[in-house]
Structures are given as C-alpha cells and as structure tokens.
Amino acid sequence: DAKTTQPNSMESNEEEPVHLPCNHSTISGTDYIHWYRQLPSQGPEYVIHGLTSNVNNRMASLAIAEDRKSSTLILHRATLRDAAVYYCILRAPNTGTASKLTFGTGTRLQVTL
Amino acid sequence: EAGVTQFPSHSVIEKGQTVTLRCDPISGHDNLYWYRRVMGKEIKFLLHFVKESKQDESGMPNNRFLAERTGGTYSTLKVQPAELEDSGVYFCASSLQSTGNSPLHFGNGTRLTVT
C-alpha cells in the first residue's frame, strides 16, 4: 500500500482555519486521497476525498498538489468539536483486496479557546 | 438515514469464553468491513464482505475469529475462545460500493475487554 506521512499533532485556536498536511510521495496515478477523523469514543468518520482536483464539502476542503504527492485538509473555522485524530489514507480505485483502508497514526488536532 | 450500528457497545469476558459482535450496516450497502484497534496500535483491517461473500479476509488474525454475513444484511464476528490479546475496539463499516471513490461509514465500535 502506498504510505502517507502526517505530523503527529497540531494545535489550533477556535474559529481559526486549520491546514492539516499529508505527504504521499509514492501515490499511484489512480489512488484516491481520503480523509477520515476519529473523535474521542467514536468510530472513524468520513470527511472528504479527492483524486486530482480540489474538493469542497460542508465539513472541509481538500487541496491536492499538482503532482499529487501531497495534500492538505482545510477546516475553515475550527471549533472545539473538531478536536480529533485526522487520518489521510490512499485508496486504490479498484474493487477487491485493494479496496480496504489502511490507517496510519494520523494527526491529533487540539483546538483551544 | 440510520448509520452503522454495532452491538454491544461494550463487552467484558473472561479468557476462554466466546463473544459475538454484531454489525448492522447502512441499508442498501452491499459492502461491509470489520476493523479493530488493539491497545496502543493503529486501526487494522480484518475483512470485507460483498453481500454475503467474503471478498478479503487477509486481516483476520487467526482461526479463533469467525465472521459471517448470512443473507447479506447484518454481520457477526465471533471470537472463540477469546484470548487476552483480543482486547480492543472492533469497528464495523459499510459502503455502497467498494471502489476507491466510495467512502466508508463506520459504527462507533464494540469495546471488548478480555480478562
């Protein structure tokens, strides 16, 4: 599986934007970039995914580098409820054994008042 | 729309006993996955069902673990006999498709403690 590298932890002030980086230099041309987050005592929660173009949804934005070797998850206005571990995961396009998600250690985001 | 539900939320059993975990996926989701996180480790894939068939069971740790999905709806994961190292949180997820652009929806997990 192509691997991702994320900082272990980040801090943000409430109501400020947060940029969570992810490096994936060995990404294949067809891997999707997925982001999930896990709040305390909950299961992982899907945030956003993309392939080549930047993506926006109600939760966040995903900025993908032109060479696709890195991406950034953007939370436009962090709230205390955004404190979680954020996982950047590459997912192969095909079905079968390649479709599973491989979780790393993620980035623990702390949000303070 | 109801999300992925798992039962029980917590289970405490003694070593050597049997435990069965249940997962109800989102209605209409043919793909069902089991994952687990053991203490201090990363979340690891266990297996993947497409309807009632096992698509990928490469993550199942040993033959003490048996997953079923009869009828292609809910799934059960049985651990028999349980060992201390089986303690952890077991997550179930479902997705509409198994292609790379189909997100997974996770339940809140079952916390299993083997004493």
Side-chain angles (χ1 to χ4, degrees):
Chain A
D1 296 330
K3 294 198 181 295
T4 63
T5 304
Q6 300 177 251
N8 287 332
S9 63
M10 291 184 66
E11 285 188 22
S12 174
N13 294 322
E14 197 177 23
E15 299 189 5
E16 289 186 356
V18 182
H19 290 232
L20 298 165
C22 180
N23 288 319
H24 28 79
S25 58
T26 60
I27 189 172
S28 78
T30 52
D31 283 344
Y32 286 84
I33 302 161
H34 282 244
W35 283 83
Y36 288 78
R37 71 180 185 180
Q38 187 174 20
L39 281 67
S41 302
Q42 294 189 22
E45 175 187 27
Y46 166 76
V47 178
I48 200 166
H49 77 277
L51 184 61
T52 55
S53 303
N54 295 343
V55 184
N56 299 295
N57 66 20
R58 63 174 180 81
M59 290 181 70
S61 295
L62 176 60
I64 301 173
E66 197 169 330
D67 64 5
R68 297 201 343 117
K69 294 187 176 181
S70 66
S71 61
T72 302
L73 179 70
I74 302 165
L75 307 179
H76 296 285
R77 258 177 99 239
T79 70
L80 295 178
R81 287 174 294 179
D82 291 321
V85 179
Y86 287 77
Y87 298 96
C88 169
I89 301 171
L90 303 183
R91 192 167 190 220
N94 303 314
T95 59
T97 58
S99 71
K100 62 190 177 190
L101 297 177
T102 301
F103 287 83
T105 54
T107 296
R108 182 174 297 279
L109 175 65
Q110 290 181 295
V111 181
T112 54
L113 290 172
Chain B
E1 173 183 271
V4 175
T5 56
Q6 294 187 244
F7 182 83
S9 57
H10 293 82
S11 180
V12 180
I13 62 172
E14 292 183 354
K15 177 183 171 182
Q17 290 185 324
T18 298
V19 64
T20 300
L21 314 180
R22 172 171 169 145
C23 169
D24 285 77
I26 293 173
S27 177
H29 281 194
D30 286 340
N31 295 274
L32 187 148
Y33 309 79
W34 284 98
Y35 287 78
R36 75 171 179 177
R37 182 204 293 275
V38 296
M39 183 69 73
K41 300 287 183 65
E42 297 162 10
I43 298 171
K44 294 289 190 186
F45 167 83
L46 295 179
L47 90 160
H48 169 207
F49 283 101
V50 178
K51 297 184 180 179
E52 66 276 6
S53 299
K54 293 175 184 174
Q55 177 74 36
D56 179 1
E57 49 185 332
S58 62
M60 294 289 266
N62 52 61
N63 59 10
R64 294 186 294 103
F65 289 75
L66 175 64
E68 295 181 320
R69 193 183 181 197
T70 307
T73 54
Y74 71 91
S75 174
T76 58
L77 180 64
K78 181 191 289 188
V79 185
Q80 179 182 29
E83 298 288 345
L84 299 178
E85 64 264 26
D86 300 332
S87 295
V89 184
Y90 289 77
F91 296 105
C92 175
S94 70
S95 67
L96 196 57
Q97 299 173 337
S98 59
T99 50
N101 63 347
S102 185
L104 271 63
H105 302 269
F106 285 80
N108 283 330
T110 293
R111 180 174 294 279
L112 174 64
T113 303
V114 183
T115 61

